[in-house]
């Protein structure tokens, strides 16, 4: 039997998927962690045994010795991938024999990166070659991972991996970016080039009936990195950015901030079929002493933390999420 839990970001990335992955890998017994979309545009900062690691490709499972796979929904930069493997090994994390790439994942070439660095400015991309690599995949001119000699030791066939054994498999599918950046549901063209929803996880050979829990991750405020204007006027957003250390892990660019948009949140919850939800960074709003959401396009303030939590809880239970599955997190390590 094969079952899967999925982690999806409900906003614009950087909501704390790594933390939720960490929590789930510790509380449940997964046989695999699957990264299901995106390229090295993603940025994970993980503290492991006191050492700070930044990964772009390799999923969090590697830190716990769980077989970690980069699925065919992803695009892979061989140089970056091999650098990450070396960096992890040097830091005492076993990557060889733990990390694998699906044979049918596509490759980000140096030309893709050069093109994105030159032309991605309009969108404010991360310049990592993500868009050009997906374009060539869909244009049927791309290169698959199995065709790159340097990647040979890491290649697996995902069909065999999922379906050829007799052992029960339990997969944690971990996405990159988020709903607001999704190629179909995001604010086009200010989007990434992949599928950031549960549908994107299914594209990696997971049968629809295998999906069990869907963990949606949001922040108590929104952040966005990219070219469009996102942050409204007001000192409060600068204070949130500062308190929340809102700088991109991939680009180092400051992230623009705003309150949670209830419309985006509700769309993301419904389209992903979220069963469990984690709101990160409650401590940041507490530090700046401001509590608000955007409701019907307008900011709506709350008296305090209790009122905002009650409001969110009411709206989410109305969408079918059980109260016990709504988590407010105020720690970098725990949910
Ligand atoms: P691309 O994914 O590099 O093509 O960039 C498209 C948009 O997605 C840009 O606004 C990027 O800043 C944003 N983006 C891509 N990856 C991430 C991420 O992991 N976190 C947050 N924003 C991201
Ligand atoms: Mg990130």
């Amino acid at each position: 039997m094969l079952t899967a839990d999925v982690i999806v970001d409900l906003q614009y990335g950087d909501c704390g998927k790594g933390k939720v992955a960490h929590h789930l890998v510790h509380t449940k017994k997964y046989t695999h962690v699957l990264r299901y979309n995106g390229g090295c545009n993603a940025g994970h900062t993980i503290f492991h045994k006191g050492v700070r690691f930044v990964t772009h490709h390799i999923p969090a499972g590697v830190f716990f010795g769980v077989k970690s796979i980069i699925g065919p929904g992803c695009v892979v930069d061989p140089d970056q991938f091999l650098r990450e493997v070396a960096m992890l090994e040097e830091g005492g994390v076993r990557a060889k024999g733990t990390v694998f790439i699906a044979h049918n994942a596509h490759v980000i070439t140096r030309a893709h990166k050069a093109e994105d660095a030159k032309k991605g400015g309009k969108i404010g991309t991360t310049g990592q070659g993500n868009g050009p690599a997906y374009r060539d995949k869909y244009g049927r001119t791309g290169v698959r991972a199995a065709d790159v000699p340097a990647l040979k030791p890491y290649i697996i066939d995902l069909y065999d991996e999922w379906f050829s054994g007799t052992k029960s498999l339990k997969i944690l599918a971990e996405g990159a970016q988020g709903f607001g950046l999704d190629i179909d549901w995001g604010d086009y063209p200010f989007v990434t080039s992949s599928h950031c929803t549960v549908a994107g996880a299914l594209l990696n050979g997971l049968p629809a009936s295998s999906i069990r829990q869907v963990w949606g991750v949001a922040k108590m405020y929104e952040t966005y990195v990219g070219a469009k204007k996102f942050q409204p006027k007001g000192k409060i957003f600068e204070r949130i950015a500062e308190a929340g250390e809102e700088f991109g892990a991939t680009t180092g660019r400051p992230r623009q901030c705003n309150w949670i948009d209830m419309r985006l949140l509700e769309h993301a919850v419904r389209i992903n079929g979220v069963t469990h939800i984690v709101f990160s960074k409650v401590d940041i709003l507490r530090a700046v002493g401001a509590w608000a959401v955007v409701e019907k396009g307008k900011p709506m303030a709350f008296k305090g933390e209790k009122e905002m939590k009650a409001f969110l809880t009411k709206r989410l239970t109305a969408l079918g999420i059980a109260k016990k599955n709504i988590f407010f997190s105020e720690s970098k390590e725990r949910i």
Side-chain angles (χ1 to χ4, degrees):
M1 218 205 358
L2 181 158
T3 60
D5 295 334
V6 186
I7 302 177
V8 286
D9 182 300
L10 305 174
Q11 295 163 339
Y12 299 88
D14 309 312
C15 287
K17 289 184 288 287
K19 176 176 65 181
V20 176
H22 195 280
H23 168 81
L24 288 175
V25 168
H26 272 112
T27 50
K28 296 185 177 200
K29 289 219 164 4
Y30 292 101
T31 54
H32 296 79
V33 175
L34 167 76
R35 167 80 185 278
Y36 62 79
N37 76 296
C40 46
N41 47 348
H44 271 340
T45 309
I46 291 162
F47 289 89
H48 184 68
K49 297 185 180 157
V51 185
R52 180 174 179 270
F53 292 91
V54 178
T55 63
H56 299 283
H57 271 317
I58 297 181
V62 70
F63 294 99
F64 318 104
V66 181
K67 199 165 191 180
S68 294
I69 299 174
I70 298 173
C74 300
V75 286
V76 187
D77 172 355
D79 298 336
Q80 175 63 29
F81 173 80
L82 295 168
R83 265 200 303 278
E84 276 178 38
V85 168
M87 181 266 297
L88 290 167
E89 293 274 344
E90 273 162 36
V93 179
R94 242 194 85 211
K96 289 181 183 149
T98 311
V99 180
F100 297 91
I101 304 172
H103 77 283
N104 48 350
H106 269 250
V107 166
I108 302 172
T109 64
R110 288 175 194 163
H112 289 147
K113 286 183 101 101
E115 180 186 340
D116 197 16
K118 208 163 125 201
K119 299 190 195 150
K122 285 208 306 279
I123 309 295
T125 71
T126 57
Q128 298 300 310
N130 186 61
Y134 280 109
R135 179 201 58 214
D136 285 354
K137 168 179 171 172
Y138 289 101
R140 293 160 296 180
T141 57
V143 174
R144 281 179 163 186
D147 297 322
V148 179
L151 296 180
K152 277 265 147 55
Y154 302 96
I155 299 295
I156 53 165
D157 181 314
L158 214 44
Y159 178 85
D160 291 345
E161 189 69 23
W162 291 165
F163 301 109
S164 68
T166 50
K167 206 174 113 196
S168 278
L169 302 187
K170 194 161 176 57
I171 296 154
L172 178 62
E174 178 193 325
Q177 290 87 46
F179 187 79
L181 294 170
D182 180 78
I183 183 74
D184 291 314
W185 295 101
D187 185 15
Y188 195 89
F190 299 100
V191 294
T192 192
S193 297
S194 68
H195 301 280
C196 311
T197 61
V198 168
L202 295 181
L203 294 173
N204 293 258
L206 298 177
S209 60
S210 68
I211 305 299
R212 296 294 182 270
Q213 299 182 345
V214 178
W215 285 72
V217 193
K219 273 199 291 219
M220 282 300 265
Y221 52 92
E222 290 181 357
T223 58
Y224 160 82
V225 218
K228 73 174 174 185
K229 179 157 170 35
F230 181 81
Q231 183 169 308
K233 280 219 172 66
K235 273 265 176 297
I236 185 64
F237 300 110
E238 289 164 33
R239 286 173 50 215
I240 291 172
E242 200 182 303
E245 296 172 34
E246 298 294 356
F247 293 92
T250 302
T251 59
R253 286 180 284 176
R255 298 176 183 144
Q256 302 186 60
C257 301
N258 199 352
W259 308 116
I260 291 177
D261 182 353
M262 291 308 295
R263 184 173 185 274
L264 183 79
L265 184 71
E266 289 179 341
H267 285 212
V269 164
R270 283 187 146 143
I271 286 173
N272 282 301
V274 168
T275 61
H276 296 66
I277 188 165
V278 179
F279 288 96
S280 296
K281 292 194 162 180
V282 175
D283 54 322
I284 304 306
L285 289 196
R286 195 182 297 142
V288 301
W291 305 91
V293 296
V294 170
E295 169 78 326
K296 300 202 172 83
K298 292 205 189 74
M300 183 176 101
F302 301 98
K303 268 214 285 257
E305 176 172 343
K306 209 174 82 200
E307 288 76 10
M308 178 158 171
K309 285 179 171 172
F311 173 86
L312 291 171
T313 303
K314 189 166 168 209
R315 292 288 280 267
L316 292 163
T317 50
L319 296 184
I321 303 180
K323 200 169 167 187
K324 68 171 190 343
N325 295 336
I326 301 173
F327 302 89
F328 292 98
S329 165
E330 43 188 270
S331 150
K332 281 185 188 167
E333 288 94 38
R334 277 168 291 109
I335 71 165

